[in-house]
Amino acid sequence: MKPIFRAWAEEGKAMYYGVYPFKDDTLLLSYDGIAFDEVPASDFILMQSTGLKDKNGKEIYEGDIVRYECCFESYVEEVVYDEKHCNFGTIDRNEKTFSFDALISDFDVDCFEVVGNKYEDPNY
């Protein structure tokens, strides 16, 4: 899998796609896929794609807020990297983490719907 990244700039409150980690703690930001700006990584919060898409075909990244149903209940949770299981998962508001491996064994990830992200929608 080719890693795909996006970055959040707290100053200016903007999400950038087409972001590439570069040398010496810098990032390359692409605005049009052709031209790039080299920027300090410390000015951004870098998020990796999970490699999965939601039920609408939208790429799922760390920091995204997803909605899904399981066992006749609806959940709204944040996508995180789960270091314990070395993969992506979700975390609920009570800080309980669920690995995608465990979630997918119960249902298909195609049930996920990205409804926002924690930076642009901090009150999910």
Side-chain angles (χ1 to χ4, degrees), residues 3 12 20-21 31 41 53 71 73 78 86-87 94 103 107 110 117 123-124:
Y20 304 91
Y31 300 100
K53 296 191 181 208
C71 304
E73 290 192 44
E78 177 188 341
C86 299
N87 69 3
N94 297 318
L103 290 171
F107 63 95
D110 289 340
N117 67 69
N123 298 319
Y124 80 92

Side-chain angles (χ1 to χ4, degrees), residues 9-78:
E10 193 62 38
E11 182 184 318
K13 308 285 186 210
M15 188 70 74
Y16 294 91
Y17 294 81
V19 176
Y20 304 91
F22 198 50
K23 62 179 176 147
D24 303 325
D25 296 323
T26 61
L27 301 174
L28 293 179
L29 298 183
S30 173
Y31 300 100
D32 57 10
I34 299 171
F36 294 91
D37 280 340
E38 188 174 341
V39 296
S42 60
D43 292 348
F44 296 86
I45 298 169
L46 192 64
M47 293 162 274
Q48 187 172 352
S49 168
T50 63
L52 302 171
K53 296 191 181 208
D54 76 353
K55 67 182 186 177
N56 299 315
K58 186 173 182 176
E59 188 98 24
I60 302 173
Y61 287 86
E62 289 177 85
D64 276 343
I65 307 302
V66 293
R67 179 182 319 146
Y68 65 93
E69 291 188 17
C70 182
C71 304
F72 306 105
E73 290 192 44
S74 183
Y75 298 90
V76 177
E77 297 175 345
E78 177 188 341

Side-chain angles (χ1 to χ4, degrees), residues 108-119:
D108 193 347
V109 75
D110 289 340
C111 297
F112 280 31
E113 179 181 19
V114 174
V115 295
N117 67 69
K118 74 178 192 177
Y119 300 100

Side-chain angles (χ1 to χ4, degrees), residues 75-90:
Y75 298 90
V76 177
E77 297 175 345
E78 177 188 341
V79 176
V80 295
Y81 183 76
D82 181 1
E83 290 184 18
K84 180 179 178 183
H85 296 100
C86 299
N87 69 3
F88 292 96
T90 61

